[in-house]
Amino acid sequence: MKVLTNSNESLLTVEGLRKSYGDVAILDGINFEVNRGEFVCIVGPSGSGKTTLLRSIAGLQAPTSGRTVFEGQEVTEPPAKLAVVFQDYSRSLLPWMSVAENVALPLKGTGSRADIGGRVERALVSVGLSGKGKLYPWQMSGGMQQRAAIARGLAYNPDVLLMDEPFAAVDAQTRVELEDLVLRLRDEYNTTVLFVTHDIDEAVYLADRVLVLSGAPTSVTENIVTELPNPRNQLETKRLERFGEVRERVFTLIQSAKSHASI
């Protein structure tokens, strides 16, 4: 299938990525590219190594073999222009720091106090937390904490935002709001997003492309272009025939991966 992207410029390339723990193989030769401006979602059955893959791409752990190339450089440690938003916001935000201080963490040494303060405020406004900077994480709802975690990821204008099931721990209504928020922020910050999720509807709604993983040891089963119009709407987009077609295909692939894993 021909891949339709927002740019012909490859920003992130994953080449033959493998990861094993002892004799247990988790990732088995992962290959794909992400072009500048794309929103790519990764889905797969439970235990397929989605988080391991994202951590390897981000330089947070070394692969057993293979490599990730980001902006022409092999990733051996977390790159400066790549940000990660994790699922567990309660652990990623430091409870003894205010929200503004948490958002400012990656900006230390990057400019004057006034410049950093302006970037923090812009990020907080962008995620709907204007005026909340003096609060502490424990004074906020789960959805607000995850907004703060997203703001921290955006504060230094990353070229790629990696998101590891970031909405899994919030309620359904908040999840819908955050999905639309991250679509808007992708455009506002002109960033590229690689988004891991276990939710098929979420993946199809958000993505320009969906990468479907097999069961462990994991490889990419299929690379699906969603071909959905932008901007997207929770009701109208999900009523489209194309949305249903892509959802059915992803569901079928994941169910097949599960059945093979259980043999």
Side-chain angles (χ1 to χ4, degrees), residues 53-98:
L53 172 59
L54 204 71
R55 290 180 62 85
S56 297
I57 292 171
L60 295 171
Q61 63 182 34
T64 302
S65 62
R67 65 176 188 164
T68 298
V69 177
F70 173 59
E71 297 187 327
Q73 300 293 320
E74 183 172 348
V75 174
T76 56
E77 59 184 9
K81 295 297 287 182
L82 185 151
V84 184
V85 178
F86 296 103
Q87 174 182 338
D88 193 349
Y89 48 78
S90 65
R91 296 176 62 182
S92 63
L93 296 175
L94 302 178
W96 60 88
M97 286 187 170
S98 70

Side-chain angles (χ1 to χ4, degrees), residues 89 137-146 174:
Y89 48 78
W138 48 270
Q139 295 175 310
M140 304 168 71
S141 68
M144 291 173 71
Q145 289 182 60
Q146 193 58 293
T174 301

